[in-house]
Amino acid sequence: MVTWDPPVNIGVPVNSSFDDLDYVKNWSGQFGLFVTNRPKTGRVTAGTSPDHIFAFKETESPRVLITGQLIKEDRFAEELLDKRLVRPMLADSLKDVLSHKTVSIEMIKNSESSVFLHEVTTNEDGRFEVWVDPGMDYKISVADTSLLERSFSVSTRNMDDEKTVEMETVSLNTIPQKAIVIDNIYYEFDRTELTQEAKAALDTTLYETLIKYPHIQVEISAHTDNKGNASYNQRLSEQRAANVVKHLVAAGISRSRLSAKGYGQDRPIAPNQHPDGSDNPEGRQQNRRTEFTILSMD
């Protein structure tokens, strides 16, 4: 439901005895335009004056300066590690400042709508500054396709007397650059069907991740050790990856967000044999894995 505040006479020089229409302000609230049929010279002449667009600038307007630093940090795997169902990623954690990035500011009207106000660019250190009105809620978004989280909220409510909001460093979650191995994805020997334990592990890791980040698209890959025929292992891994996708689709995930890929024995992450040529059961177990990689953001 739309509600209106009581009308307020803005006063001279905006209000006049002529027809004054279409009063609007820019995002900062300090500049604006209105339409009026008052004479441009200020002198009343015979006849009706045509409409003109007048610009104005407010000399005093309460403002709040929001300033802060933006960084991107790889916290994605850490969130899943808390569940004890994924292995650490194969790369060091990424942490870097978001320099020279476009930052857009929107005023939040309600839970379903907002109004775009302005854009600024971060400097070399990932810092930005923007002037906004007090007593409002704002959404700040960063244009960077490597981020899983691209926006955050800032409020200036109850800050009529404040001139600057100095935020702590804002850390935004970035898309992992490496595949994440899901533990406890087991299959019966020489079979492709998921066990009940494997389904439970998927439901508490990958399924929850796809729900939390509804715009990501992922590749699910399956791998084997090097026991047996290479072509057979390839087919086995393809069928296992396809069954993971099938399970997620049955749980309500859109098929368009999922890609199945089998790599057979081609991408080991541990030795299948010890240096002396003896069998390495621990290494083989690591190679018999299911993992996922975030491909893109929709």
Side-chain angles (χ1 to χ4, degrees), residues 178-211:
K178 295 287 185 177
I180 297 177
V181 180
I182 311 174
D183 281 340
N184 299 331
I185 305 299
Y186 301 129
Y187 307 85
E188 300 294 342
F189 176 73
D190 204 31
R191 301 291 296 274
T192 63
E193 294 80 9
L194 290 163
T195 64
Q196 290 304 314
E197 293 81 3
K199 292 178 180 179
L202 282 171
D203 291 343
T204 54
T205 53
L206 185 50
Y207 172 78
E208 289 187 359
T209 298
L210 290 164
I211 294 296

mmCIF file of all heavy atoms in Angstrom, residues 178-211:
data_model
loop_
_atom_site.group_PDB
_atom_site.id
_atom_site.type_symbol
_atom_site.label_atom_id
_atom_site.label_comp_id
_atom_site.label_asym_id
_atom_site.label_seq_id
_atom_site.Cartn_x
_atom_site.Cartn_y
_atom_site.Cartn_z
ATOM 1 N N LYS A 178 39.258 -23.648 -7.670
ATOM 2 C CA LYS A 178 39.579 -25.071 -7.726
ATOM 3 C C LYS A 178 38.345 -25.898 -7.394
ATOM 4 O O LYS A 178 37.400 -25.424 -6.767
ATOM 5 C CB LYS A 178 40.704 -25.412 -6.739
ATOM 6 C CG LYS A 178 42.053 -24.763 -7.063
ATOM 7 C CD LYS A 178 42.701 -25.424 -8.267
ATOM 8 C CE LYS A 178 44.088 -24.864 -8.516
ATOM 9 N NZ LYS A 178 44.767 -25.536 -9.651
ATOM 10 N N ALA A 179 38.388 -27.159 -7.811
ATOM 11 C CA ALA A 179 37.296 -28.076 -7.489
ATOM 12 C C ALA A 179 37.309 -28.409 -6.000
ATOM 13 O O ALA A 179 38.356 -28.418 -5.357
ATOM 14 C CB ALA A 179 37.438 -29.355 -8.309
ATOM 15 N N ILE A 180 36.132 -28.678 -5.454
ATOM 16 C CA ILE A 180 35.980 -29.047 -4.049
ATOM 17 C C ILE A 180 35.532 -30.500 -3.982
ATOM 18 O O ILE A 180 34.537 -30.889 -4.596
ATOM 19 C CB ILE A 180 34.958 -28.136 -3.348
ATOM 20 C CG1 ILE A 180 35.466 -26.690 -3.368
ATOM 21 C CG2 ILE A 180 34.711 -28.590 -1.920
ATOM 22 C CD1 ILE A 180 34.505 -25.700 -2.761
ATOM 23 N N VAL A 181 36.281 -31.289 -3.241
ATOM 24 C CA VAL A 181 35.992 -32.712 -3.119
ATOM 25 C C VAL A 181 34.960 -32.933 -2.024
ATOM 26 O O VAL A 181 35.105 -32.433 -0.909
ATOM 27 C CB VAL A 181 37.268 -33.504 -2.799
ATOM 28 C CG1 VAL A 181 36.949 -35.000 -2.686
ATOM 29 C CG2 VAL A 181 38.328 -33.280 -3.862
ATOM 30 N N ILE A 182 33.905 -33.677 -2.347
ATOM 31 C CA ILE A 182 32.881 -34.015 -1.360
ATOM 32 C C ILE A 182 33.203 -35.390 -0.798
ATOM 33 O O ILE A 182 33.261 -36.385 -1.534
ATOM 34 C CB ILE A 182 31.474 -34.039 -1.989
ATOM 35 C CG1 ILE A 182 31.225 -32.774 -2.812
ATOM 36 C CG2 ILE A 182 30.416 -34.180 -0.905
ATOM 37 C CD1 ILE A 182 29.923 -32.806 -3.578
ATOM 38 N N ASP A 183 33.433 -35.455 0.512
ATOM 39 C CA ASP A 183 33.700 -36.745 1.139
ATOM 40 C C ASP A 183 32.406 -37.537 1.323
ATOM 41 O O ASP A 183 31.303 -37.008 1.206
ATOM 42 C CB ASP A 183 34.377 -36.543 2.496
ATOM 43 C CG ASP A 183 35.860 -36.243 2.340
ATOM 44 O OD1 ASP A 183 36.420 -36.549 1.273
ATOM 45 O OD2 ASP A 183 36.458 -35.690 3.286
ATOM 46 N N ASN A 184 32.573 -38.803 1.616
ATOM 47 C CA ASN A 184 31.457 -39.708 1.913
ATOM 48 C C ASN A 184 30.531 -39.933 0.724
ATOM 49 O O ASN A 184 29.356 -40.287 0.902
ATOM 50 C CB ASN A 184 30.638 -39.206 3.114
ATOM 51 C CG ASN A 184 31.466 -39.117 4.376
ATOM 52 O OD1 ASN A 184 32.424 -39.871 4.540
ATOM 53 N ND2 ASN A 184 31.125 -38.204 5.254
ATOM 54 N N ILE A 185 31.033 -39.721 -0.493
ATOM 55 C CA ILE A 185 30.254 -40.093 -1.681
ATOM 56 C C ILE A 185 30.760 -41.467 -2.120
ATOM 57 O O ILE A 185 31.738 -41.589 -2.848
ATOM 58 C CB ILE A 185 30.413 -39.057 -2.813
ATOM 59 C CG1 ILE A 185 30.041 -37.665 -2.312
ATOM 60 C CG2 ILE A 185 29.541 -39.441 -4.008
ATOM 61 C CD1 ILE A 185 28.613 -37.520 -1.843
ATOM 62 N N TYR A 186 30.080 -42.477 -1.632
ATOM 63 C CA TYR A 186 30.532 -43.843 -1.867
ATOM 64 C C TYR A 186 29.580 -44.582 -2.812
ATOM 65 O O TYR A 186 28.398 -44.267 -2.907
ATOM 66 C CB TYR A 186 30.629 -44.604 -0.544
ATOM 67 C CG TYR A 186 31.573 -43.983 0.441
ATOM 68 C CD1 TYR A 186 31.157 -43.725 1.750
ATOM 69 C CD2 TYR A 186 32.875 -43.649 0.081
ATOM 70 C CE1 TYR A 186 32.012 -43.155 2.665
ATOM 71 C CE2 TYR A 186 33.740 -43.075 0.990
ATOM 72 C CZ TYR A 186 33.307 -42.831 2.282
ATOM 73 O OH TYR A 186 34.161 -42.265 3.181
ATOM 74 N N TYR A 187 30.123 -45.576 -3.479
ATOM 75 C CA TYR A 187 29.366 -46.460 -4.366
ATOM 76 C C TYR A 187 29.735 -47.895 -4.015
ATOM 77 O O TYR A 187 30.839 -48.182 -3.530
ATOM 78 C CB TYR A 187 29.715 -46.193 -5.835
ATOM 79 C CG TYR A 187 29.579 -44.758 -6.267
ATOM 80 C CD1 TYR A 187 30.625 -43.852 -6.066
ATOM 81 C CD2 TYR A 187 28.420 -44.290 -6.884
ATOM 82 C CE1 TYR A 187 30.518 -42.536 -6.457
ATOM 83 C CE2 TYR A 187 28.309 -42.975 -7.282
ATOM 84 C CZ TYR A 187 29.360 -42.098 -7.068
ATOM 85 O OH TYR A 187 29.264 -40.781 -7.454
ATOM 86 N N GLU A 188 28.807 -48.789 -4.254
ATOM 87 C CA GLU A 188 29.164 -50.194 -4.126
ATOM 88 C C GLU A 188 30.226 -50.528 -5.172
ATOM 89 O O GLU A 188 30.318 -49.879 -6.215
ATOM 90 C CB GLU A 188 27.922 -51.077 -4.319
ATOM 91 C CG GLU A 188 26.790 -50.833 -3.318
ATOM 92 C CD GLU A 188 27.161 -51.212 -1.905
ATOM 93 O OE1 GLU A 188 28.146 -51.979 -1.746
ATOM 94 O OE2 GLU A 188 26.500 -50.743 -0.977
ATOM 95 N N PHE A 189 31.026 -51.541 -4.875
ATOM 96 C CA PHE A 189 32.102 -51.912 -5.791
ATOM 97 C C PHE A 189 31.551 -52.180 -7.195
ATOM 98 O O PHE A 189 30.594 -52.943 -7.366
ATOM 99 C CB PHE A 189 32.838 -53.156 -5.279
ATOM 100 C CG PHE A 189 33.894 -53.648 -6.225
ATOM 101 C CD1 PHE A 189 35.088 -52.948 -6.389
ATOM 102 C CD2 PHE A 189 33.683 -54.788 -6.986
ATOM 103 C CE1 PHE A 189 36.051 -53.390 -7.276
ATOM 104 C CE2 PHE A 189 34.650 -55.231 -7.874
ATOM 105 C CZ PHE A 189 35.835 -54.525 -8.011
ATOM 106 N N ASP A 190 32.155 -51.487 -8.164
ATOM 107 C CA ASP A 190 31.824 -51.675 -9.563
ATOM 108 C C ASP A 190 30.381 -51.280 -9.894
ATOM 109 O O ASP A 190 29.826 -51.724 -10.893
ATOM 110 C CB ASP A 190 32.066 -53.138 -9.979
ATOM 111 C CG ASP A 190 32.315 -53.265 -11.479
ATOM 112 O OD1 ASP A 190 32.872 -52.314 -12.067
ATOM 113 O OD2 ASP A 190 31.947 -54.298 -12.060
ATOM 114 N N ARG A 191 29.785 -50.418 -9.036
ATOM 115 C CA ARG A 191 28.415 -49.973 -9.273
ATOM 116 C C ARG A 191 28.402 -48.454 -9.425
ATOM 117 O O ARG A 191 29.326 -47.754 -9.025
ATOM 118 C CB ARG A 191 27.494 -50.389 -8.109
ATOM 119 C CG ARG A 191 27.432 -51.875 -7.839
ATOM 120 C CD ARG A 191 26.718 -52.608 -8.976
ATOM 121 N NE ARG A 191 25.330 -52.215 -9.091
ATOM 122 C CZ ARG A 191 24.341 -52.767 -8.394
ATOM 123 N NH1 ARG A 191 24.593 -53.742 -7.526
ATOM 124 N NH2 ARG A 191 23.097 -52.375 -8.579
ATOM 125 N N THR A 192 27.320 -47.958 -10.015
ATOM 126 C CA THR A 192 27.216 -46.510 -10.244
ATOM 127 C C THR A 192 26.158 -45.842 -9.368
ATOM 128 O O THR A 192 26.092 -44.620 -9.319
ATOM 129 C CB THR A 192 26.868 -46.229 -11.718
ATOM 130 O OG1 THR A 192 25.584 -46.797 -12.023
ATOM 131 C CG2 THR A 192 27.932 -46.814 -12.644
ATOM 132 N N GLU A 193 25.317 -46.634 -8.685
ATOM 133 C CA GLU A 193 24.250 -46.053 -7.880
ATOM 134 C C GLU A 193 24.808 -45.451 -6.594
ATOM 135 O O GLU A 193 25.718 -45.985 -5.968
ATOM 136 C CB GLU A 193 23.195 -47.113 -7.525
ATOM 137 C CG GLU A 193 22.410 -47.644 -8.705
ATOM 138 C CD GLU A 193 23.189 -48.716 -9.480
ATOM 139 O OE1 GLU A 193 24.251 -49.143 -8.988
ATOM 140 O OE2 GLU A 193 22.735 -49.099 -10.574
ATOM 141 N N LEU A 194 24.229 -44.325 -6.200
ATOM 142 C CA LEU A 194 24.613 -43.685 -4.947
ATOM 143 C C LEU A 194 24.081 -44.485 -3.755
ATOM 144 O O LEU A 194 22.934 -44.938 -3.766
ATOM 145 C CB LEU A 194 24.045 -42.270 -4.875
ATOM 146 C CG LEU A 194 24.646 -41.226 -5.811
ATOM 147 C CD1 LEU A 194 23.724 -40.020 -5.910
ATOM 148 C CD2 LEU A 194 26.023 -40.803 -5.324
ATOM 149 N N THR A 195 24.908 -44.634 -2.718
ATOM 150 C CA THR A 195 24.432 -45.245 -1.485
ATOM 151 C C THR A 195 23.607 -44.222 -0.711
ATOM 152 O O THR A 195 23.637 -43.024 -0.994
ATOM 153 C CB THR A 195 25.605 -45.714 -0.615
ATOM 154 O OG1 THR A 195 26.367 -44.557 -0.217
ATOM 155 C CG2 THR A 195 26.514 -46.678 -1.382
ATOM 156 N N GLN A 196 22.878 -44.694 0.308
ATOM 157 C CA GLN A 196 22.098 -43.780 1.132
ATOM 158 C C GLN A 196 23.001 -42.796 1.867
ATOM 159 O O GLN A 196 22.648 -41.627 2.050
ATOM 160 C CB GLN A 196 21.251 -44.578 2.143
ATOM 161 C CG GLN A 196 20.112 -45.361 1.506
ATOM 162 C CD GLN A 196 19.176 -44.485 0.688
ATOM 163 O OE1 GLN A 196 18.764 -43.415 1.137
ATOM 164 N NE2 GLN A 196 18.818 -44.939 -0.511
ATOM 165 N N GLU A 197 24.179 -43.265 2.270
ATOM 166 C CA GLU A 197 25.138 -42.371 2.929
ATOM 167 C C GLU A 197 25.607 -41.281 1.964
ATOM 168 O O GLU A 197 25.777 -40.118 2.353
ATOM 169 C CB GLU A 197 26.341 -43.169 3.451
ATOM 170 C CG GLU A 197 26.023 -44.127 4.593
ATOM 171 C CD GLU A 197 25.424 -45.430 4.103
ATOM 172 O OE1 GLU A 197 25.302 -45.625 2.859
ATOM 173 O OE2 GLU A 197 25.073 -46.257 4.960
ATOM 174 N N ALA A 198 25.808 -41.655 0.711
ATOM 175 C CA ALA A 198 26.243 -40.669 -0.282
ATOM 176 C C ALA A 198 25.159 -39.631 -0.532
ATOM 177 O O ALA A 198 25.439 -38.431 -0.659
ATOM 178 C CB ALA A 198 26.614 -41.378 -1.583
ATOM 179 N N LYS A 199 23.922 -40.061 -0.597
ATOM 180 C CA LYS A 199 22.824 -39.123 -0.804
ATOM 181 C C LYS A 199 22.722 -38.142 0.366
ATOM 182 O O LYS A 199 22.497 -36.938 0.161
ATOM 183 C CB LYS A 199 21.511 -39.890 -0.978
ATOM 184 C CG LYS A 199 21.426 -40.695 -2.268
ATOM 185 C CD LYS A 199 20.114 -41.459 -2.353
ATOM 186 C CE LYS A 199 20.036 -42.270 -3.649
ATOM 187 N NZ LYS A 199 18.772 -43.046 -3.746
ATOM 188 N N ALA A 200 22.910 -38.653 1.584
ATOM 189 C CA ALA A 200 22.854 -37.783 2.755
ATOM 190 C C ALA A 200 23.988 -36.762 2.722
ATOM 191 O O ALA A 200 23.788 -35.585 3.072
ATOM 192 C CB ALA A 200 22.920 -38.619 4.032
ATOM 193 N N ALA A 201 25.171 -37.178 2.295
ATOM 194 C CA ALA A 201 26.306 -36.253 2.203
ATOM 195 C C ALA A 201 26.046 -35.178 1.160
ATOM 196 O O ALA A 201 26.358 -33.998 1.365
ATOM 197 C CB ALA A 201 27.579 -37.031 1.880
ATOM 198 N N LEU A 202 25.472 -35.555 0.029
ATOM 199 C CA LEU A 202 25.138 -34.572 -1.001
ATOM 200 C C LEU A 202 24.099 -33.567 -0.500
ATOM 201 O O LEU A 202 24.201 -32.360 -0.761
ATOM 202 C CB LEU A 202 24.603 -35.279 -2.247
ATOM 203 C CG LEU A 202 25.613 -35.929 -3.177
ATOM 204 C CD1 LEU A 202 24.892 -36.759 -4.231
ATOM 205 C CD2 LEU A 202 26.484 -34.873 -3.849
ATOM 206 N N ASP A 203 23.119 -34.063 0.231
ATOM 207 C CA ASP A 203 22.040 -33.195 0.699
ATOM 208 C C ASP A 203 22.530 -32.146 1.690
ATOM 209 O O ASP A 203 21.944 -31.063 1.795
ATOM 210 C CB ASP A 203 20.934 -34.035 1.349
ATOM 211 C CG ASP A 203 20.186 -34.893 0.333
ATOM 212 O OD1 ASP A 203 20.305 -34.604 -0.872
ATOM 213 O OD2 ASP A 203 19.506 -35.848 0.749
ATOM 214 N N THR A 204 23.599 -32.451 2.428
ATOM 215 C CA THR A 204 24.094 -31.509 3.435
ATOM 216 C C THR A 204 25.270 -30.684 2.936
ATOM 217 O O THR A 204 25.781 -29.843 3.686
ATOM 218 C CB THR A 204 24.517 -32.262 4.713
ATOM 219 O OG1 THR A 204 25.449 -33.290 4.374
ATOM 220 C CG2 THR A 204 23.307 -32.864 5.395
ATOM 221 N N THR A 205 25.694 -30.897 1.714
ATOM 222 C CA THR A 205 26.795 -30.089 1.168
ATOM 223 C C THR A 205 26.374 -29.413 -0.128
ATOM 224 O O THR A 205 25.985 -28.249 -0.138
ATOM 225 C CB THR A 205 28.047 -30.953 0.929
ATOM 226 O OG1 THR A 205 27.697 -32.103 0.123
ATOM 227 C CG2 THR A 205 28.643 -31.419 2.241
ATOM 228 N N LEU A 206 26.424 -30.140 -1.223
ATOM 229 C CA LEU A 206 26.190 -29.531 -2.528
ATOM 230 C C LEU A 206 24.758 -29.035 -2.677
ATOM 231 O O LEU A 206 24.527 -27.940 -3.209
ATOM 232 C CB LEU A 206 26.534 -30.527 -3.637
ATOM 233 C CG LEU A 206 26.448 -30.006 -5.066
ATOM 234 C CD1 LEU A 206 27.212 -28.700 -5.230
ATOM 235 C CD2 LEU A 206 26.963 -31.040 -6.050
ATOM 236 N N TYR A 207 23.791 -29.802 -2.222
ATOM 237 C CA TYR A 207 22.397 -29.363 -2.341
ATOM 238 C C TYR A 207 22.181 -28.050 -1.581
ATOM 239 O O TYR A 207 21.593 -27.094 -2.108
ATOM 240 C CB TYR A 207 21.446 -30.436 -1.814
ATOM 241 C CG TYR A 207 20.009 -29.977 -1.739
ATOM 242 C CD1 TYR A 207 19.215 -29.917 -2.886
ATOM 243 C CD2 TYR A 207 19.448 -29.571 -0.528
ATOM 244 C CE1 TYR A 207 17.906 -29.467 -2.824
ATOM 245 C CE2 TYR A 207 18.147 -29.129 -0.456
ATOM 246 C CZ TYR A 207 17.374 -29.081 -1.604
ATOM 247 O OH TYR A 207 16.079 -28.632 -1.539
ATOM 248 N N GLU A 208 22.659 -27.986 -0.332
ATOM 249 C CA GLU A 208 22.491 -26.765 0.454
ATOM 250 C C GLU A 208 23.226 -25.582 -0.176
ATOM 251 O O GLU A 208 22.757 -24.449 -0.115
ATOM 252 C CB GLU A 208 22.986 -26.994 1.890
ATOM 253 C CG GLU A 208 22.075 -27.911 2.698
ATOM 254 C CD GLU A 208 22.495 -27.986 4.153
ATOM 255 O OE1 GLU A 208 23.505 -27.328 4.521
ATOM 256 O OE2 GLU A 208 21.812 -28.685 4.928
ATOM 257 N N THR A 209 24.380 -25.850 -0.793
ATOM 258 C CA THR A 209 25.128 -24.786 -1.462
ATOM 259 C C THR A 209 24.347 -24.240 -2.649
ATOM 260 O O THR A 209 24.284 -23.026 -2.866
ATOM 261 C CB THR A 209 26.491 -25.321 -1.934
ATOM 262 O OG1 THR A 209 27.252 -25.735 -0.803
ATOM 263 C CG2 THR A 209 27.266 -24.253 -2.700
ATOM 264 N N LEU A 210 23.742 -25.118 -3.435
ATOM 265 C CA LEU A 210 22.966 -24.686 -4.596
ATOM 266 C C LEU A 210 21.719 -23.908 -4.186
ATOM 267 O O LEU A 210 21.271 -23.014 -4.899
ATOM 268 C CB LEU A 210 22.581 -25.907 -5.434
ATOM 269 C CG LEU A 210 23.745 -26.582 -6.160
ATOM 270 C CD1 LEU A 210 23.351 -27.973 -6.638
ATOM 271 C CD2 LEU A 210 24.226 -25.743 -7.334
ATOM 272 N N ILE A 211 21.168 -24.225 -3.027
ATOM 273 C CA ILE A 211 20.024 -23.473 -2.514
ATOM 274 C C ILE A 211 20.474 -22.106 -2.016
ATOM 275 O O ILE A 211 19.823 -21.087 -2.274
ATOM 276 C CB ILE A 211 19.318 -24.253 -1.381
ATOM 277 C CG1 ILE A 211 18.677 -25.536 -1.936
ATOM 278 C CG2 ILE A 211 18.283 -23.382 -0.697
ATOM 279 C CD1 ILE A 211 17.576 -25.291 -2.947
#
